[in-house]
Structure formats: C-alpha cells, structure tokens
C-alpha cells in the first residue's frame, strides 16, 4: 500500500514527524503537496474541505491509508507504529511511547509559540516584543526542563539507549527532529542545554546515522529548515 | 480495581477531562490530591519524582491503574475508553475519536494561553497587555474556527448526535467540558459563537443531563471554576 501524506510542501513542520517515520522504515508514500510541478498547496487544503466520505480533519498533517484519512501527528504515529516496527508489542508499552510523543507535541507547541506568542494569524514581525519575552522564558525554563526530562527517561534504562528501552520507536525519531530543530533555531541556548543531556545527544546521533535516515536527510525530500516553519532561527530570540 | 488520579487538588485543569470520564461510567477512583484533610499538593508532585519503578511522567494528570502510571490526558482517555464503553470497537474508529480528543487538546492549549501568552512561569498580572492581544485573536479567529469544526463534525452524521455517531465517547465528555469552561471564561464571546453551533450546544446539554454527570456536577467533587485553572474569567479578555 502506498500512503498519501497531506502536508504543506514548503516547510518541515509537524508533517516532518510523519515523514521521518515513513522514511525510517522505507514505506512507500506520496507527499501530495510536493507535486512534479512544484508546491501544490491546493492539493493539501483540499483534504480539509474535500469530497472524501466521512468527517474532515481539522488540520494537516493528514495520512491517507487505504482510503481512510487519519490526522493529528501523534495519532498518525500511533497508527503507523505497530505496522512498521516503530512501537512495542504490549498495550501499556505502546501507551508509554504515545505518552512520550504527546509530551514532545507539547514541547513543539511551546517552540512554535516562541516566535508566535500572540497568535498564528499574525506575522512574527507583528509580535516581536512579545516573542522576545516568551523566548527568554523558553530558553531559561522550558528548554532545560523538557531536555532534562528526556535525559532522565533515557537514564532510567540500564541499557538500550532508546526512549522505550531496547528498540527504537517513533518517539525516538521525533526526539531527533526536535533536537535537530532546536539546534537550528536556538544554536546558543541549545548548545548550552545539551551539555546536561548527553544521552539525548547520543540518541540524536544514533537516529541521524541510521542508513535510511542519513539518506533521507541528504536527499531533496528533506526540506531545509526555514523561517516559515516551527523551528525558526531568529538570532534575537537566541540571545 | 480502584484507580488513583494524581492531579492538582484546587483546579479542574486537565485532570477534569479524566475525572469526567471516570464519573460518567461510575468508576471507582481516588483523587489523590484531595485528601481527607484537604488539598495535598505533595502527594501529586511526588508521583513525578517518586519511587515508583519505571520512567516518570512529565506532568499531571497521571492515572495509576493496577500499579502502572499513565500520563498525558488524551493518552489516559485512550486507555480508559475501551475499558468503559467510552470508545468504539474498531481500531480506525478509535483513532478517529482520539484524533478529535487531540484536536480538543490543541484547543485547550490555546484557551490557556489567552491568559498566559508569555509563559506559564509568570503570573497573569505580568502579561496583561500580551494576554489582551492574544485573547482578541482567540475570540475573533480561533474560537469560531474550533467551534465551527466540531459543529461540522456533528453535522456530518445523519443521526446519532455524538461526535463519533451513534454512541457517546470520551471526546463528547471533553467537548462538554470545553463548552462549559468557555461559557465561564468568555461568556460574551462564547454566547455569540454558540449561535452558529447549535449541535455543539445540544451535545453539551445531553452530556450535562446524563444522570451520573448531573450528580457529579452538583457534588463537592466538582471543583468550581476559578482563576487558577485553564478557564479563567477575566472580563477584560472577553471584551
């Protein structure tokens, strides 16, 4: 089965957590918004107001699997995980991985809101003073707190090196992406914070060095970070 | 089995989505933070740094079920749903309900951030101008958008009247709670917005009138809304 991913074609955004899972397992998928003739925003937004049967999703990313639409990043990963060896076997272990994914999702909202504290309907340029305040709190409080949490989770395992212990899951791929994005957006603050999170750094390396992930990151399928996405490098927010 | 719920004892907060599910099915649970001698914050925070085996949760609410800790509101509901008739049978239908729950969770973050746009580590009084701007965008854009979305989902079903069609799920209970909270926090804006969402209003009534929910809402177990929780009534934000 070929999946169809509906996501904005010019940013990594939340869609990237799904792309990484699909790429890590070598799944076949069509990135619908990235058509042969360039970005196709209409094809993505059509899924929100289209003619598919059944109730619509609220926002991308949306995965079409066998004719059925699944939305919400963590929910898509909940679906993909057991099908592609990216989730453990037992129900409670799967809930644990999902719990970690939802914690990452909370973190991603806070990262986004460093540059958009007043509202996503406004430009960054319309909320720079507010962003400066929010980013300061993020650098000083929230970044160390989240990073320290995942360090503690990794430290809790005697061995394994993955968030759920012995096997890699979609949560590991997502944590890789957050580390990668934070290094882009907040190079100074993240450089300092990672000193206290060596296990997270190591996990990032392990994911990066997976042959399929390495190939993906070096391909044109990986959209570069930019200032339209979640992880934006505004030097004034990384003071 | 008696569940143990770990959540802050003086607010409804995110714990309320779990409380409503437990109350709706008549499950036995101990609300750990609300001890016989009054609020016990220490008992709640202990679960984050306690001596339970296994890796810790990031934040409350946490549900202890048979000795195992489950955190993240939507994840707890994912666990409870199938066990108590609050989720449909099939996997894809369960994912749909979970998708709705995660959309509600996104909405709840935005509601919280109307009074805390700069950061949860600061008081509202330290971010009033920013809150005024954020709340304006919420009232004018986000509130109608989210409410309209759930109205559209309900409209999609020929009959049933619940978000997933014919049977009530935990997502219905959560939507009830958001409507209830928004009526408290933004009575004027919500009054206007609900004109365009009659099916959501009707769903709220159906949940409120469930005998167990009515009994719960009239009991002392239901903590009143207040200005320490997610839904806060600051008249200046409801202009």
């Amino acid at each position: 089965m070929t999946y169809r991913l509906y996501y904005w074609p010019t940013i990594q955004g939340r869609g990237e957590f799904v792309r990484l899972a699909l790429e890590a397992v070598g799944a076949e998928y069509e990135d619908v918004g990235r058509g042969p003739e360039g970005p196709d925003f209409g094809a993505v937004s059509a899924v929100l107001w289209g003619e598919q049967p059944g109730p619509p999703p609220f926002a991308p990313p949306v995965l079409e699997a066998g004719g059925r639409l699944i939305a919400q990043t963590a929910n898509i990963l909940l679906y993909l995980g057991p099908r592609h060896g990216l989730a453990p076997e037992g129900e409670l272990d799967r809930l644990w991985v999902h719990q970690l994914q939802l914690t990452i999702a909370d973190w991603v909202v806070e990262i986004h809101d460093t540059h958009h504290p007043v509202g996503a309907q406004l430009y960054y340029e319309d909320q720079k003073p507010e962003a400066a305040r929010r980013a300061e709190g993020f650098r000083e409080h929230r970044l160390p707190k989240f990073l320290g949490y995942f360090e503690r989770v990794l430290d809790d395992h005697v061995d394994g090196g993955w968030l759920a212990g012995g096997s890699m899951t979609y949560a590991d791929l997502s944590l890789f992406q957050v580390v990668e994005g934070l290094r882009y957006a907040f190079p100074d603050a993240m450089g300092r914070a990672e000193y206290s999170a060596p296990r997270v750094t190591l996990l990032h390396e392990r994911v990066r060095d997976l042959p399929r992930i390495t190939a993906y990151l070096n391909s044109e399928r990986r959209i570069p970070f930019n200032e339209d996405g979640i992880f934006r490098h505004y030097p004034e927010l990384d003071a």
Side-chain angles (χ1 to χ4, degrees), chain A residues 17-18 61 71-79 98 101-102 105 170:
Chain A
F17 299 99
V18 181
Q72 281 283 351
T73 309
N75 198 46
I76 296 170
L77 296 171
L78 188 66
Y79 171 84
H98 194 54
Q101 187 67 38
L102 292 174
Y170 59 77

Side-chain angles (χ1 to χ4, degrees), chain A residues 117-199:
Chain A
V118 177
Q121 75 280 1
L122 301 171
Y123 291 108
Y124 168 62
E125 286 68 25
D126 296 323
Q127 49 194 309
K128 287 178 74 167
E130 294 92 341
R133 287 192 75 194
R134 174 113 189 192
E136 182 186 1
F138 178 77
R139 293 192 310 270
E140 296 189 3
H141 299 283
R142 305 301 289 174
L143 173 57
K145 180 168 172 147
F146 276 103
L147 207 58
Y149 175 72
F150 288 101
E151 182 72 11
R152 187 173 167 220
V153 169
L154 289 167
D155 189 27
D156 193 79
H157 303 298
V158 176
D159 51 26
W162 302 108
L163 287 168
S167 321
M168 187 182 78
T169 68
Y170 59 77
D172 296 296
L173 298 169
S174 294
L175 184 56
F176 160 83
Q177 171 68 4
V178 173
V179 170
E180 192 78 0
L182 287 171
R183 287 180 183 179
Y184 173 79
F186 298 94
D188 288 356
M190 186 61 174
R192 291 192 297 274
E194 275 197 61
Y195 272 115
S196 307
R199 290 173 186 81

Side-chain angles (χ1 to χ4, degrees), chain A residues 190-206:
Chain A
M190 186 61 174
R192 291 192 297 274
E194 275 197 61
Y195 272 115
S196 307
R199 290 173 186 81
V200 173
T201 299
L202 200 61
L203 181 144
H204 172 275
E205 284 177 22
R206 289 181 76 179

